[in-house]
Amino acid sequence: MKAYPKYKDSGIQWVGQVPNHWEVARLKNFTSCNDETLSDSTSVDTIIEYVEIGDVSNTEGIKATTKYHFGDAPSRARRITRKNDIIVSTVRTYLQAITQIKRDDLIVSTGFAVIRPRKGIESGYLAYQMMSQAPIHWIVSNSIGISYPAIAASKVGCVPILLPTPAEQTSIVSFLDSKTSQIDTYIAQKEKQIEALKELKQVEIANAVTHGLNNNTPMKNSGIAWIGDVPQHWDTVRMKYIFKEISEKGHPEEPCLCATQRYGVIPQSMYDNRVVVVSKGFENLKFVRKGNFVISLRSFQGGIEMAHYQGIISAAYTILGLDENILDSEYTRFLFKSHPFIMLLQTCVTGIREGQNINYDILRRKFLPVPPKEEQREIVKYIDVKIKNIDTKISSIQSQISHLKEYKQRLISDVVTGKVDVRNEKI
């Protein structure tokens, strides 16, 4: 790829020099905005396919949609889109939720400005232009607010854009379609590698905590469906003989904890996601000691969490004290995160669909595998090493994916700002 022969100052911050023959214009001069809106008189039974801000990424496009009957849809589900429209988030603009619509009749949030190209600019080119860094910087820097920055849709129309000739726009779209497709293919391959490694990690944990480390050990049928065969010298014990349910209260001075599937039970102050913060009634919260296990409301989806800190937590949670003469806490933590155990949890729930929670009265009657204590410690060491090696590989691949995404973004920005000339590039 080569540069254009002559350049001029664009007058646009974050762009700098552009090809001499390119025009600089405002977005509103070649587009319309928010042309179509669903009427309040729309039948409540009309099925719509809805896209909200969190469903969109400028690097991945539309990642998800949700179907609703209009009567059940969020009140912000109003903007009608058509194929080749470009949607630009006008709220939480730091998320950079900008993409091209690839099909008709999606309904998007009123938090988007729906940009419709008119004569003089190709939709594909405009999409790449809007997803490049200069327009994104302009939108973010002109947003108002700190925690929830927003920009008026009419203000988006003032975004400065670059206009190559129609022939160049076509060349740019062909080139970027080809190159970004290749990059996306590489990224998809890398993501598959990560999924395979995550599955391997689960297999390693499940095999170790239910079958041990020695493949030559004589096995026996445990008589328990979720466990299967276990080493002949292992025991199986009901959970109610291993754990004591704890409901101690009256420690308002302790820090509030939250149960997370990724980090276990940790102080709310250490968790970067939003949680409901308790402001009163601390004396009624349950006391949790380090090493206790907590059954949170949705634990059947990801395992029971171990407490890494002392503190207090919602009285809705079940707190379990472990008899460490029977099970090592770290072995138990891995056991509770193993896929077979999580499948067992899903048979111990009460409630309907989204309201399902673990019923400890059912779970406490289930059996757990109990290796000798020394063997439990060996299993923990083995899993620690395996997980560290697998996580290192995952981290390396994630870094490669990040570099590919950065390269894709840089390539788009370089091409749509004329830093490189792709008019004669072979695809």
Side-chain angles (χ1 to χ4, degrees):
M1 290 182 288
K2 60 183 184 299
Y4 282 87
K6 292 183 179 180
Y7 286 85
K8 65 182 178 183
D9 183 12
S10 67
I12 306 173
Q13 194 178 10
W14 306 295
V15 173
Q17 298 282 308
V18 297
N20 209 39
H21 63 287
W22 284 23
E23 294 181 36
V24 180
R26 296 290 180 183
L27 179 65
K28 61 185 177 182
N29 296 337
F30 294 89
T31 64
S32 59
C33 182
N34 296 338
D35 289 355
E36 300 178 81
T37 303
L38 275 178
S39 167
D40 288 340
S41 62
T42 303
S43 169
V44 294
D45 295 324
T46 300
I47 295 176
I48 65 172
E49 193 165 353
Y50 174 60
V51 178
E52 60 184 7
I53 305 295
D55 295 331
V56 175
S57 161
N58 76 316
T59 56
E60 300 173 65
I62 295 175
K63 300 177 289 184
T65 63
T66 306
K67 289 187 177 180
Y68 290 102
H69 286 95
F70 179 73
D72 299 326
S75 60
R76 58 188 178 275
R78 287 293 186 273
R79 301 247 190 267
I80 298 173
T81 66
R82 305 292 177 189
K83 184 178 180 181
N84 293 327
D85 287 347
I86 291 94
I87 55 174
V88 179
S89 170
T90 58
V91 296
R92 291 185 291 163
T93 49
Y94 56 84
L95 293 176
Q96 303 182 14
I98 302 172
T99 195
Q100 184 184 35
I101 299 294
K102 300 296 181 70
R103 43 173 281 208
D104 279 332
D105 298 328
L106 284 176
I107 304 300
V108 302
S109 168
T110 51
F112 286 107
V114 179
I115 307 300
R116 188 161 296 169
R118 296 201 300 253
K119 188 176 181 181
I121 192 164
E122 184 176 333
S123 173
Y125 170 75
L126 180 59
Y128 282 124
Q129 175 86 189
M130 293 302 296
M131 290 187 290
S132 66
Q133 284 303 301
I136 288 172
H137 279 307
W138 192 96
I139 290 168
V140 171
S141 65
N142 283 278
S143 298
I144 298 172
I146 298 174
S147 60
Y148 201 82
I151 187 171
S154 58
K155 184 85 171 178
V156 173
C158 297
V159 171
I161 58 171
L162 303 173
L163 281 178
T165 65
E168 283 178 289
Q169 291 180 37
T170 301
S171 296
I172 286 170
V173 171
S174 295
F175 176 83
L176 288 177
D177 279 351
S178 175
K179 295 301 181 183
T180 58
S181 177
Q182 291 175 18
I183 295 169
D184 289 342
T185 298
Y186 295 148
I187 290 172
Q189 291 171 350
K190 298 294 181 184
E191 288 172 340
K192 285 183 179 179
Q193 291 175 19
I194 288 176
E195 289 307 309
L197 285 168
K198 287 180 177 178
E199 288 177 13
L200 175 62
K201 183 161 66 171
Q202 269 295 334
V203 168
E204 290 283 4
I205 292 172
N207 284 341
V209 297
T210 59
H211 302 311
L213 304 178
N214 188 346
N215 292 331
N216 297 319
T217 298
M219 307 292 282
K220 66 181 179 183
N221 187 339
S222 69
I224 303 161
W226 80 270
I227 299 175
D229 290 346
V230 295
Q232 214 166 57
H233 61 288
W234 286 21
D235 292 325
T236 54
V237 181
R238 289 187 191 273
M239 280 189 66
K240 65 180 180 179
Y241 299 122
I242 303 174
F243 295 93
K244 178 183 178 182
E245 188 172 353
I246 301 169
S247 190
E248 184 178 344
K249 299 178 182 178
H251 295 271
E253 75 287 351
E254 293 287 343
C256 287
L257 306 177
C258 60
T260 74
Q261 290 184 8
R262 183 174 181 181
Y263 305 109
V265 181
I266 59 173
Q268 287 183 355
S269 60
M270 294 176 61
Y271 192 46
D272 52 7
N273 285 16
R274 290 184 179 181
V275 295
V276 177
V277 178
V278 177
S279 59
K280 60 182 179 179
F282 295 99
E283 65 281 355
N284 294 320
L285 300 185
K286 288 183 178 178
F287 182 54
V288 180
R289 290 180 172 82
K290 184 179 178 180
N292 285 165
F293 286 84
V294 174
I295 303 180
S296 61
L297 301 178
R298 307 286 293 166
S299 288
F300 73 92
Q301 294 178 324
I304 302 173
E305 311 304 334
M306 188 172 87
H308 299 285
Y309 298 85
Q310 180 172 296
I312 50 179
I313 203 165
S314 169
Y317 290 6
T318 301
I319 316 301
L320 301 178
L322 172 67
D323 184 343
E324 295 205 44
N325 291 316
I326 301 176
L327 285 182
D328 175 83
S329 61
E330 289 297 317
Y331 169 83
T332 306
R333 178 171 68 88
F334 284 127
L335 177 64
F336 284 172
K337 285 295 179 181
S338 68
H339 184 70
F341 183 79
I342 293 171
M343 292 298 100
L344 170 70
L345 289 178
Q346 295 179 9
T347 69
C348 302
V349 296
T350 54
I352 301 173
R353 281 189 255 176
E354 294 303 317
Q356 288 185 330
N357 295 311
I358 291 177
N359 185 326
Y360 186 60
D361 284 339
I362 299 174
L363 181 61
R364 68 194 294 270
R365 296 195 292 270
K366 302 298 182 181
F367 286 86
L368 299 181
V370 180
K373 286 297 295 293
E374 183 56 37
E375 194 169 345
Q376 292 179 40
R377 288 188 280 268
E378 289 173 2
I379 289 171
V380 169
K381 289 179 184 178
Y382 172 85
I383 293 175
D384 279 338
V385 171
K386 282 290 182 180
I387 286 180
K388 184 177 180 180
N389 289 338
I390 293 172
D391 284 346
T392 298
K393 292 177 183 177
I394 289 174
S395 179
S396 174
I397 296 171
Q398 287 172 333
S399 179
Q400 294 172 39
I401 290 174
S402 293
H403 288 142
L404 284 167
K405 288 181 177 179
E406 288 171 8
Y407 172 68
K408 176 183 173 180
Q409 189 66 51
R410 189 168 61 249
L411 178 66
I412 290 172
S413 292
D414 285 349
V415 172
V416 300
T417 56
K419 299 295 185 292
V420 294
D421 182 357
V422 300
R423 289 175 294 181
N424 298 314
E425 288 292 324
K426 293 181 179 180
I427 307 301

